[in-house]
Structures are given as structure tokens and as C-alpha cells.
Amino acid sequence: MIKITPELSAFKPLKYKKAKDLSEAKTYAQKVLNIKQFNVEDLELANQVNYTITKAYNKTVGQINPPDKVVYADITFDDGTKPQSDMFVSLEHKDNAYTCRTLFLCKNIFDNAGNMISLFLKKYGKNNQIEKDKHGFDKIILASKYKYENTLNRYYRLHQQGKLTTKSKHDFVGLLYHAQEAENSVIRALYNNPETRKTMERITHLENYDVADFDKKVRAYLLKIRRRNKIEFNPPLQMQNAIGVDGSILHELGHVWHSMFITPSELPNFRLAYTKIKNFHIAGKISEYAQTCEEETIAEIIKGLLSNDKYSPDVIALGNEITRGKLNELL
């Protein structure tokens, strides 16, 4: 639990106000959030950044701070490569510790959202997971239970009508990604259970199956069961709330918070892939990305906590193990 010290007891929540233009959004970021540089040339994105940072700051009684700068631009690294993710924060060394000073929103990734949507929809189409609803609109049918299935299809309809904005395109990508992750988690759970795997192999008529064929046939089987309304599958993932731009910002703010107490000698450990199978599986309860390394596990946990996800004791214990008990101070 957050321990209310005399300093924290004097905390005053920030009052967010949606900006009507970019100048107003920039003023709020600089004057209220104390962000020194704010270059976001899209009003909807600018408002989302300001709102999410305000929400995180208030929810943690000021323990999660904004970065010094927020930049929305095409990004190319020194080696000529481009970012693979929509956002990241730059890690800088100061006073024998690291701090995340700049939040980059990668315009090149946002501009590519339309292509990402097409790839996801193509895959759903190949899996026979798109069909007409009772009103004649295309609808995505999922093989597993997903909290935002109705929202997903509302965005899909807006996509078909050409009404998605820069932000909502990215939110739609987030919805599509998490829906796919929920399906994958069910299939993974089936595969990891020896009894279920035998059943699935018998159903799919596969003895020496390859992973792709197994995945496709099991997904089709799950769809068949779900359409008959006999079984609803609850994915084992514990992260369901944060999506799209909001979720990406919360994830990066997790890195900002985590960087406050990472020393130079500790940094390499945080960026190594998991070697303990137990911890790898625990991280998998949060998200697939959380399994990448300890650094991403913490960012994903913070994202979830700040968007009201509830985690099991083993997930919280892993977070505290990585942060030497600092996570408890934030709960």
C-alpha cells in the first residue's frame, strides 16, 4: 500500500482539462505537468498524452512523474534502423542511476497503423473469423472470451466506414493485438495441458502436427464450440484494461518510474531474457510482451495497475523481486 508520508499527505491532485487546440494542450503540458518540451502536432494525441500522464500522476499520489520531454516525430536510430514499437522513452544516466527523460511517440509507427490493421484483418479472414452480423455488417468472431469484443467490432465498423482518426487507428491495432493474444493464450493453455493436447490432436486428426497447422485447426474447433454456445473460454491473461495509445503511454511511464532506482550495474540484468522458467510463466500471466525481460515485465505490471487490472499474488511477488520491494510502495 502507498505509505502516506507528511510529504504525500500534502499532495494535491492535478485537474485535467481537455484542450481545444494544440496551443492549449502544450500550455497544459508545460505549466501543469512541468513537461519542458512538448511537440505533439495532433490534438487528439496531445490530449491523450496529457490525460494519461495526469491520471498516472494522480493515481500514484505523484510517485509516477512525467518525462521531461514529449516528442511526436519520425524516428530513425543512429544505425539506420527504425523503432518497432509505437512509443519508447530514452534512458539517460545521472547521479549513478538512470532516468527516462524523453517520451517518443513514433510517427512512422502511427502512420503505419493502417497497414497493421490490414494484416490483422487478413489473418482473421483466412481463419474464417469474419462474418456478417444481423445488420449486414462485417463482424470479427473470436475463439476466446475477450472483454472488449464489442468495442473491437465498433472500431472495425468505423474502419470500414473510413472514420478512424490517427489515435483511433492505433487504438484499433491495440484491440486487435490483445484479442489475438487472448486467443493465443487459450490455445497455449490447451497445448500445455497433456490431456487437452491429446484431445486436440485427436480432434484435428494430427499425429505429427506442425505448430501452424495445429494452431489453425484448434482455433477452428474453438470457434465451432463457441458458436454453439456450449463453452466460453476465459483466457489466463490477467491484463485486459489498457489498450491503444493510453496503454502505450502507461507502459512507458512504468519505465520512467522503474528507471528512478536502476543503477548502472543492475541495468544489464533487467534487459536479459528470463532464465528461470517459473518466472517466465508468471510473466506470461500479464502479457506475451511481459515475458521479454524483467524490464518489460515491470512496465507491463505498472500499465495494468494504473488501468485497474488485478494481479495474482505471484505476479506481485515477481514485481517486488525485480524492484527490491519498490512495487509494494506503489500499490
Side-chain angles (χ1 to χ4, degrees):
M1 298 295 291
I2 294 177
K3 184 179 180 181
I4 305 298
T5 63
E7 184 180 46
L8 292 183
S9 65
F11 173 80
K12 292 183 179 179
L14 300 178
K15 293 183 179 179
Y16 170 75
K17 182 180 179 182
K18 187 176 181 179
K20 296 178 182 178
D21 55 46
L22 286 170
S23 176
E24 191 176 327
K26 185 174 182 178
T27 298
Y28 178 89
Q30 293 179 328
K31 301 296 184 184
V32 180
L33 297 177
N34 293 317
I35 296 173
K36 295 180 178 66
Q37 179 182 329
F38 188 84
N39 298 330
V40 183
E41 300 304 316
D42 181 284
L43 181 59
E44 192 179 24
L45 281 177
N47 275 323
Q48 183 68 63
V49 170
N50 285 339
Y51 168 74
T52 302
I53 291 176
T54 303
K55 175 177 66 173
Y57 180 82
N58 287 342
K59 194 174 180 68
T60 60
V61 198
Q63 293 191 85
I64 286 188
N65 291 300
D68 286 350
K69 301 175 183 178
V70 178
V71 177
Y72 176 54
D74 287 327
I75 308 294
T76 302
F77 298 125
D78 292 340
D79 62 0
T81 61
K82 292 182 179 291
Q84 298 300 307
S85 59
D86 48 9
M87 295 183 200
F88 66 94
V89 284
S90 62
L91 195 64
E92 299 178 32
H93 180 248
K94 183 181 179 183
D95 299 330
N96 202 38
Y98 286 100
T99 180
C100 293
R101 295 185 177 277
T102 305
L103 170 63
F104 289 99
L105 283 72
C106 304
K107 187 176 182 296
N108 27 336
I109 301 293
F110 279 85
D111 289 345
N112 194 46
N115 291 332
M116 292 297 297
I117 290 168
S118 296
L119 288 173
F120 274 113
L121 294 179
K122 184 178 180 180
K123 182 174 181 180
Y124 279 120
K126 286 180 68 176
N127 289 337
N128 297 315
Q129 290 182 257
I130 295 178
E131 60 182 39
K132 300 290 183 183
D133 65 14
K134 61 182 180 181
H135 302 293
F137 293 101
D138 283 346
K139 180 180 180 180
I140 299 170
I141 304 296
L142 300 175
S144 64
K145 186 178 180 182
Y146 179 49
K147 181 176 181 179
Y148 294 116
E149 184 167 350
N150 290 336
T151 305
L152 174 77
N153 278 298
R154 186 165 67 248
Y155 273 79
Y156 185 25
R157 187 175 299 182
L158 290 172
H159 165 73
Q160 291 175 303
Q161 296 169 347
K163 294 181 179 179
L164 291 179
T165 61
T166 299
K167 174 187 172 295
S168 57
K169 281 181 183 178
H170 190 71
D171 288 344
F172 189 29
V173 170
L175 285 161
L176 288 163
Y177 173 79
H178 287 309
Q180 177 181 277
E181 193 176 21
E183 288 194 337
N184 289 342
S185 70
V186 171
I187 292 170
R188 192 162 59 238
L190 289 171
Y191 176 76
N192 288 334
N193 182 305
E195 292 301 317
T196 310
R197 185 164 66 246
K198 288 179 182 178
T199 303
M200 291 298 102
E201 289 174 10
R202 178 172 50 79
I203 289 168
T204 54
H205 306 293
L206 293 170
E207 293 178 1
N208 298 312
Y209 58 85
D210 69 31
V211 174
D213 203 10
F214 179 79
D215 178 282
K216 183 177 180 180
K217 293 196 175 186
V218 170
R219 196 181 300 269
Y221 177 69
L222 295 178
L223 280 167
K224 183 179 179 181
I225 293 176
R226 190 172 184 210
R227 284 193 174 106
R228 291 176 179 173
N229 296 317
K230 288 186 177 181
I231 299 175
E232 276 203 341
F233 293 94
N234 291 293
L237 289 173
Q238 296 179 21
M239 193 280 291
Q240 290 286 305
N241 284 318
I243 59 164
V245 177
D246 183 56
S248 296
I249 297 169
L250 290 176
H251 174 99
E252 298 309 322
L253 290 177
H255 286 308
V256 173
W257 171 77
H258 192 195
S259 72
M260 292 168 58
F261 46 87
I262 299 177
T263 64
S265 62
E266 291 172 316
L267 182 63
N269 294 332
F270 291 122
R271 291 187 162 172
L272 289 174
Y274 275 103
T275 54
K276 293 182 181 178
I277 269 304
K278 178 184 176 183
N279 288 347
F280 179 79
H281 286 311
I282 292 172
K285 294 182 178 181
I286 308 162
S287 68
E288 288 181 0
Y289 194 44
Q291 293 180 305
T292 308
C293 60
E294 292 183 349
E295 185 178 28
E296 299 305 341
T297 299
I298 295 303
E300 288 287 271
I301 288 176
I302 296 300
K303 175 173 75 169
L305 291 173
L306 292 180
S307 59
N308 300 316
D309 283 326
K310 306 297 182 184
Y311 291 116
S312 56
D314 56 348
V315 170
I316 298 299
L318 177 59
N320 275 307
E321 178 184 331
I322 296 169
T323 62
R324 305 187 310 280
K326 295 288 186 180
L327 184 62
N328 266 346
E329 298 177 13
L330 202 64
L331 298 177

